[in-house]
Amino acid sequence: MYSSGMLNKRVEILNRTQAEDGDFGLDSGGVQWEKTAEDWAAVDFVKGIRAMREGALDAYGVVLVRMRYTDKVNKRSRIVYDGETYVILPETFHADFQNNTLQFNAQILVNPE
């Protein structure tokens, strides 16, 4: 379990909305992201041996997020933290229902949609 002192960062959770018809048919209107929740989390930058193993340059924009379980977050969600948008790295997404926790790595988006 995470103590309330660990969950000291506020994050927004973004999920895709239903595709809208554009001038050229379904999906041509573009992908839209909508804020579906806001929650407390522990956000830490990946550092140390793990950062070296993943490649120093790539690891600069990667954060480790730990939070209480919510069905609003999934492998396709995006996280907004400290004014930056991050995409969840699906292979790191771990939901532990028994302990009511979520943990995943997220990488910063340089040009968010």
Side-chain angles (χ1 to χ4, degrees):
M1 284 308 253
Y2 301 125
S3 68
S4 59
M6 288 179 65
L7 306 177
N8 59 358
K9 307 289 191 285
R10 200 71 172 157
V11 295
E12 294 177 6
I13 298 148
L14 308 177
N15 286 300
R16 290 175 71 145
T17 60
Q18 184 84 17
E20 296 181 10
D21 285 334
D23 293 337
F24 302 103
L26 191 64
D27 287 339
S28 67
V31 175
Q32 300 294 320
W33 292 89
E34 178 180 283
K35 177 180 167 183
T36 54
E38 196 170 320
D39 212 338
W40 292 101
V43 180
D44 297 306
F45 285 92
V46 176
K47 54 190 172 211
I49 293 174
R50 185 173 192 171
M52 289 172 49
R53 187 174 57 232
E54 292 178 2
L57 293 176
D58 293 337
Y60 281 122
V62 177
V63 293
L64 171 65
V65 180
R66 293 170 295 180
M67 60 193 305
R68 289 187 181 93
Y69 178 81
T70 175
D71 62 355
K72 302 291 185 191
V73 179
N74 60 57
K75 293 178 182 184
R76 297 182 66 200
S77 298
R78 291 186 176 176
I79 302 296
V80 177
Y81 165 67
D82 199 25
E84 299 289 348
T85 303
Y86 293 82
V87 63
I88 293 174
L89 301 174
E91 65 276 3
T92 66
F93 188 86
H94 179 69
D96 187 341
F97 302 108
Q98 184 175 5
N99 290 324
N100 195 33
T101 59
L102 285 174
Q103 180 172 312
F104 53 86
N105 285 353
Q107 186 161 22
I108 196 166
L109 284 174
V110 178
N111 294 317
E113 299 172 67

